[in-house]
Amino acid sequence: MKGIMHHLEIYVSDLKESKDFWEWLLFKLGYKEYQKWDKGISYILNDSYIVFVQAEERFLDIPYHRCRVGLNHLAFYGESKGFVDEITNELRKKEIRILYEDKHPYAGGRDHYAVYFESPDRMKVEVVAE
């Protein structure tokens, strides 16, 4: 277990919107709902979990930006190129912004098949073919 991430906690501007966005993706990746309370929700896969917490109103005037100091993006393994394509199609149906569309699915290089997109708070998310 040494070195495996235990959990990741992300504060969000709108918990309901974030839940709607993240839940479909995390469920497709094999996560299950883990904990739920008034101001947060978590999803678990094996021994690691991701937590989303509603940010306090007083902090909402400073929006997240992935190019500032802090977390840039989250990257998840997909099952295959076909899985990445399936995610991409669902993103388009949901009208979720796909990043680097002009270079998709090789925006990370010729040997890196992936889709990049944004969460409601504009955090970059990546799903990579194994």
mmCIF file of all heavy atoms in Angstrom, residues 39-64:
data_model
loop_
_atom_site.group_PDB
_atom_site.id
_atom_site.type_symbol
_atom_site.label_atom_id
_atom_site.label_comp_id
_atom_site.label_asym_id
_atom_site.label_seq_id
_atom_site.Cartn_x
_atom_site.Cartn_y
_atom_site.Cartn_z
ATOM 1 N N LYS A 39 -22.889 18.625 2.909
ATOM 2 C CA LYS A 39 -21.930 19.474 2.193
ATOM 3 C C LYS A 39 -20.906 18.698 1.384
ATOM 4 O O LYS A 39 -19.911 19.262 0.928
ATOM 5 C CB LYS A 39 -21.197 20.395 3.176
ATOM 6 C CG LYS A 39 -22.090 21.316 3.956
ATOM 7 C CD LYS A 39 -22.611 22.434 3.093
ATOM 8 C CE LYS A 39 -23.453 23.388 3.935
ATOM 9 N NZ LYS A 39 -23.947 24.481 3.151
ATOM 10 N N GLY A 40 -21.115 17.382 1.197
ATOM 11 C CA GLY A 40 -20.116 16.640 0.444
ATOM 12 C C GLY A 40 -20.543 15.247 0.039
ATOM 13 O O GLY A 40 -21.574 14.732 0.480
ATOM 14 N N ILE A 41 -19.720 14.670 -0.817
ATOM 15 C CA ILE A 41 -19.931 13.305 -1.291
ATOM 16 C C ILE A 41 -18.575 12.727 -1.668
ATOM 17 O O ILE A 41 -17.670 13.464 -2.073
ATOM 18 C CB ILE A 41 -20.913 13.257 -2.478
ATOM 19 C CG1 ILE A 41 -21.307 11.811 -2.776
ATOM 20 C CG2 ILE A 41 -20.355 13.995 -3.691
ATOM 21 C CD1 ILE A 41 -22.523 11.687 -3.676
ATOM 22 N N SER A 42 -18.427 11.413 -1.500
ATOM 23 C CA SER A 42 -17.172 10.776 -1.902
ATOM 24 C C SER A 42 -17.470 9.513 -2.693
ATOM 25 O O SER A 42 -18.546 8.928 -2.589
ATOM 26 C CB SER A 42 -16.292 10.463 -0.683
ATOM 27 O OG SER A 42 -16.896 9.484 0.133
ATOM 28 N N TYR A 43 -16.469 9.128 -3.487
ATOM 29 C CA TYR A 43 -16.547 7.943 -4.344
ATOM 30 C C TYR A 43 -15.280 7.133 -4.133
ATOM 31 O O TYR A 43 -14.186 7.697 -4.037
ATOM 32 C CB TYR A 43 -16.674 8.353 -5.814
ATOM 33 C CG TYR A 43 -17.877 9.220 -6.059
ATOM 34 C CD1 TYR A 43 -17.790 10.606 -5.966
ATOM 35 C CD2 TYR A 43 -19.108 8.660 -6.354
ATOM 36 C CE1 TYR A 43 -18.895 11.407 -6.178
ATOM 37 C CE2 TYR A 43 -20.230 9.452 -6.561
ATOM 38 C CZ TYR A 43 -20.110 10.831 -6.471
ATOM 39 O OH TYR A 43 -21.220 11.617 -6.665
ATOM 40 N N ILE A 44 -15.430 5.809 -4.078
ATOM 41 C CA ILE A 44 -14.292 4.946 -3.757
ATOM 42 C C ILE A 44 -14.061 3.917 -4.856
ATOM 43 O O ILE A 44 -15.009 3.431 -5.481
ATOM 44 C CB ILE A 44 -14.505 4.250 -2.391
ATOM 45 C CG1 ILE A 44 -13.223 3.587 -1.890
ATOM 46 C CG2 ILE A 44 -15.682 3.276 -2.444
ATOM 47 C CD1 ILE A 44 -13.256 3.198 -0.416
ATOM 48 N N LEU A 45 -12.802 3.619 -5.083
ATOM 49 C CA LEU A 45 -12.377 2.545 -5.969
ATOM 50 C C LEU A 45 -11.251 1.819 -5.254
ATOM 51 O O LEU A 45 -10.210 2.424 -4.956
ATOM 52 C CB LEU A 45 -11.893 3.078 -7.319
ATOM 53 C CG LEU A 45 -11.380 2.024 -8.303
ATOM 54 C CD1 LEU A 45 -12.501 1.068 -8.721
ATOM 55 C CD2 LEU A 45 -10.787 2.699 -9.536
ATOM 56 N N ASN A 46 -11.458 0.552 -4.955
ATOM 57 C CA ASN A 46 -10.501 -0.225 -4.155
ATOM 58 C C ASN A 46 -10.275 0.499 -2.839
ATOM 59 O O ASN A 46 -11.215 0.703 -2.101
ATOM 60 C CB ASN A 46 -9.209 -0.478 -4.934
ATOM 61 C CG ASN A 46 -9.461 -1.281 -6.199
ATOM 62 O OD1 ASN A 46 -10.327 -2.144 -6.235
ATOM 63 N ND2 ASN A 46 -8.725 -0.956 -7.250
ATOM 64 N N ASP A 47 -9.054 0.924 -2.550
ATOM 65 C CA ASP A 47 -8.771 1.567 -1.262
ATOM 66 C C ASP A 47 -8.572 3.075 -1.362
ATOM 67 O O ASP A 47 -8.188 3.720 -0.385
ATOM 68 C CB ASP A 47 -7.513 0.940 -0.645
ATOM 69 C CG ASP A 47 -7.730 -0.517 -0.282
ATOM 70 O OD1 ASP A 47 -8.798 -0.833 0.270
ATOM 71 O OD2 ASP A 47 -6.838 -1.335 -0.560
ATOM 72 N N SER A 48 -8.820 3.657 -2.528
ATOM 73 C CA SER A 48 -8.649 5.101 -2.715
ATOM 74 C C SER A 48 -10.003 5.750 -2.967
ATOM 75 O O SER A 48 -10.867 5.171 -3.613
ATOM 76 C CB SER A 48 -7.740 5.378 -3.918
ATOM 77 O OG SER A 48 -6.454 4.854 -3.703
ATOM 78 N N TYR A 49 -10.153 6.963 -2.446
ATOM 79 C CA TYR A 49 -11.417 7.645 -2.676
ATOM 80 C C TYR A 49 -11.204 9.121 -2.975
ATOM 81 O O TYR A 49 -10.164 9.699 -2.668
ATOM 82 C CB TYR A 49 -12.398 7.432 -1.521
ATOM 83 C CG TYR A 49 -11.993 7.926 -0.167
ATOM 84 C CD1 TYR A 49 -12.438 9.158 0.304
ATOM 85 C CD2 TYR A 49 -11.201 7.144 0.671
ATOM 86 C CE1 TYR A 49 -12.104 9.603 1.570
ATOM 87 C CE2 TYR A 49 -10.862 7.576 1.938
ATOM 88 C CZ TYR A 49 -11.305 8.811 2.385
ATOM 89 O OH TYR A 49 -10.961 9.244 3.630
ATOM 90 N N ILE A 50 -12.209 9.688 -3.647
ATOM 91 C CA ILE A 50 -12.208 11.095 -4.030
ATOM 92 C C ILE A 50 -13.389 11.756 -3.335
ATOM 93 O O ILE A 50 -14.509 11.235 -3.365
ATOM 94 C CB ILE A 50 -12.329 11.262 -5.556
ATOM 95 C CG1 ILE A 50 -11.160 10.570 -6.258
ATOM 96 C CG2 ILE A 50 -12.384 12.743 -5.934
ATOM 97 C CD1 ILE A 50 -11.274 10.559 -7.770
ATOM 98 N N VAL A 51 -13.131 12.907 -2.724
ATOM 99 C CA VAL A 51 -14.139 13.631 -1.953
ATOM 100 C C VAL A 51 -14.403 14.977 -2.634
ATOM 101 O O VAL A 51 -13.463 15.667 -3.033
ATOM 102 C CB VAL A 51 -13.642 13.899 -0.514
ATOM 103 C CG1 VAL A 51 -14.711 14.602 0.310
ATOM 104 C CG2 VAL A 51 -13.171 12.627 0.157
ATOM 105 N N PHE A 52 -15.675 15.347 -2.728
ATOM 106 C CA PHE A 52 -16.073 16.664 -3.225
ATOM 107 C C PHE A 52 -16.846 17.359 -2.119
ATOM 108 O O PHE A 52 -17.802 16.797 -1.579
ATOM 109 C CB PHE A 52 -16.937 16.525 -4.482
ATOM 110 C CG PHE A 52 -16.213 15.821 -5.597
ATOM 111 C CD1 PHE A 52 -16.369 14.459 -5.786
ATOM 112 C CD2 PHE A 52 -15.353 16.512 -6.429
ATOM 113 C CE1 PHE A 52 -15.686 13.793 -6.793
ATOM 114 C CE2 PHE A 52 -14.660 15.859 -7.438
ATOM 115 C CZ PHE A 52 -14.830 14.492 -7.618
ATOM 116 N N VAL A 53 -16.406 18.574 -1.794
ATOM 117 C CA VAL A 53 -16.997 19.320 -0.681
ATOM 118 C C VAL A 53 -17.431 20.691 -1.196
ATOM 119 O O VAL A 53 -16.695 21.345 -1.945
ATOM 120 C CB VAL A 53 -15.979 19.492 0.472
ATOM 121 C CG1 VAL A 53 -16.579 20.304 1.605
ATOM 122 C CG2 VAL A 53 -15.491 18.140 0.973
ATOM 123 N N GLN A 54 -18.620 21.114 -0.777
ATOM 124 C CA GLN A 54 -19.105 22.449 -1.127
ATOM 125 C C GLN A 54 -18.234 23.496 -0.439
ATOM 126 O O GLN A 54 -18.111 23.497 0.787
ATOM 127 C CB GLN A 54 -20.568 22.622 -0.694
ATOM 128 C CG GLN A 54 -21.125 24.013 -0.916
ATOM 129 C CD GLN A 54 -21.180 24.396 -2.375
ATOM 130 O OE1 GLN A 54 -21.762 23.681 -3.174
ATOM 131 N NE2 GLN A 54 -20.584 25.521 -2.727
ATOM 132 N N ALA A 55 -17.627 24.380 -1.225
ATOM 133 C CA ALA A 55 -16.818 25.469 -0.661
ATOM 134 C C ALA A 55 -17.736 26.453 0.050
ATOM 135 O O ALA A 55 -18.905 26.639 -0.327
ATOM 136 C CB ALA A 55 -16.037 26.174 -1.761
ATOM 137 N N GLU A 56 -17.207 27.078 1.074
ATOM 138 C CA GLU A 56 -17.978 28.080 1.805
ATOM 139 C C GLU A 56 -18.211 29.293 0.910
ATOM 140 O O GLU A 56 -17.371 29.648 0.083
ATOM 141 C CB GLU A 56 -17.215 28.517 3.055
ATOM 142 C CG GLU A 56 -17.083 27.435 4.104
ATOM 143 C CD GLU A 56 -16.310 27.905 5.318
ATOM 144 O OE1 GLU A 56 -16.365 29.114 5.643
ATOM 145 O OE2 GLU A 56 -15.646 27.061 5.946
ATOM 146 N N GLU A 57 -19.364 29.905 1.088
ATOM 147 C CA GLU A 57 -19.769 31.069 0.291
ATOM 148 C C GLU A 57 -18.690 32.159 0.261
ATOM 149 O O GLU A 57 -18.413 32.743 -0.778
ATOM 150 C CB GLU A 57 -21.070 31.633 0.869
ATOM 151 C CG GLU A 57 -21.699 32.734 0.056
ATOM 152 C CD GLU A 57 -22.375 32.229 -1.210
ATOM 153 O OE1 GLU A 57 -22.904 31.108 -1.209
ATOM 154 O OE2 GLU A 57 -22.367 32.968 -2.200
ATOM 155 N N ARG A 58 -18.031 32.374 1.382
ATOM 156 C CA ARG A 58 -17.037 33.463 1.462
ATOM 157 C C ARG A 58 -15.815 33.214 0.593
ATOM 158 O O ARG A 58 -15.043 34.130 0.342
ATOM 159 C CB ARG A 58 -16.623 33.693 2.915
ATOM 160 C CG ARG A 58 -15.940 32.508 3.550
ATOM 161 C CD ARG A 58 -15.711 32.734 5.029
ATOM 162 N NE ARG A 58 -15.268 31.520 5.660
ATOM 163 C CZ ARG A 58 -14.201 31.451 6.452
ATOM 164 N NH1 ARG A 58 -13.501 32.532 6.719
ATOM 165 N NH2 ARG A 58 -13.876 30.303 6.988
ATOM 166 N N PHE A 59 -15.619 31.988 0.099
ATOM 167 C CA PHE A 59 -14.465 31.686 -0.737
ATOM 168 C C PHE A 59 -14.814 31.578 -2.219
ATOM 169 O O PHE A 59 -13.946 31.344 -3.045
ATOM 170 C CB PHE A 59 -13.800 30.383 -0.279
ATOM 171 C CG PHE A 59 -13.217 30.465 1.092
ATOM 172 C CD1 PHE A 59 -13.682 29.643 2.106
ATOM 173 C CD2 PHE A 59 -12.215 31.371 1.385
ATOM 174 C CE1 PHE A 59 -13.144 29.717 3.378
ATOM 175 C CE2 PHE A 59 -11.679 31.466 2.663
ATOM 176 C CZ PHE A 59 -12.146 30.634 3.661
ATOM 177 N N LEU A 60 -16.071 31.742 -2.566
ATOM 178 C CA LEU A 60 -16.499 31.551 -3.947
ATOM 179 C C LEU A 60 -16.119 32.696 -4.880
ATOM 180 O O LEU A 60 -16.200 32.560 -6.088
ATOM 181 C CB LEU A 60 -17.999 31.296 -4.017
ATOM 182 C CG LEU A 60 -18.468 29.995 -3.371
ATOM 183 C CD1 LEU A 60 -19.979 29.861 -3.487
ATOM 184 C CD2 LEU A 60 -17.763 28.790 -3.975
ATOM 185 N N ASP A 61 -15.691 33.830 -4.319
ATOM 186 C CA ASP A 61 -15.318 34.959 -5.178
ATOM 187 C C ASP A 61 -13.927 34.795 -5.800
ATOM 188 O O ASP A 61 -13.534 35.556 -6.676
ATOM 189 C CB ASP A 61 -15.394 36.274 -4.404
ATOM 190 C CG ASP A 61 -14.451 36.312 -3.215
ATOM 191 O OD1 ASP A 61 -14.116 35.233 -2.690
ATOM 192 O OD2 ASP A 61 -14.047 37.419 -2.812
ATOM 193 N N ILE A 62 -13.185 33.778 -5.367
ATOM 194 C CA ILE A 62 -11.862 33.492 -5.938
ATOM 195 C C ILE A 62 -11.986 32.192 -6.722
ATOM 196 O O ILE A 62 -11.909 31.107 -6.159
ATOM 197 C CB ILE A 62 -10.791 33.352 -4.841
ATOM 198 C CG1 ILE A 62 -10.783 34.582 -3.947
ATOM 199 C CG2 ILE A 62 -9.418 33.092 -5.462
ATOM 200 C CD1 ILE A 62 -9.971 34.417 -2.682
ATOM 201 N N PRO A 63 -12.202 32.280 -8.040
ATOM 202 C CA PRO A 63 -12.415 31.047 -8.814
ATOM 203 C C PRO A 63 -11.139 30.226 -8.968
ATOM 204 O O PRO A 63 -10.029 30.752 -8.929
ATOM 205 C CB PRO A 63 -12.896 31.566 -10.163
ATOM 206 C CG PRO A 63 -12.359 32.936 -10.266
ATOM 207 C CD PRO A 63 -12.273 33.471 -8.857
ATOM 208 N N TYR A 64 -11.357 28.935 -9.151
ATOM 209 C CA TYR A 64 -10.256 28.009 -9.416
ATOM 210 C C TYR A 64 -9.699 28.279 -10.812
ATOM 211 O O TYR A 64 -10.439 28.625 -11.730
ATOM 212 C CB TYR A 64 -10.781 26.572 -9.345
ATOM 213 C CG TYR A 64 -9.824 25.543 -9.904
ATOM 214 C CD1 TYR A 64 -8.812 25.024 -9.119
ATOM 215 C CD2 TYR A 64 -9.919 25.124 -11.220
ATOM 216 C CE1 TYR A 64 -7.922 24.099 -9.630
ATOM 217 C CE2 TYR A 64 -9.039 24.194 -11.736
ATOM 218 C CZ TYR A 64 -8.039 23.691 -10.938
ATOM 219 O OH TYR A 64 -7.158 22.779 -11.443
#
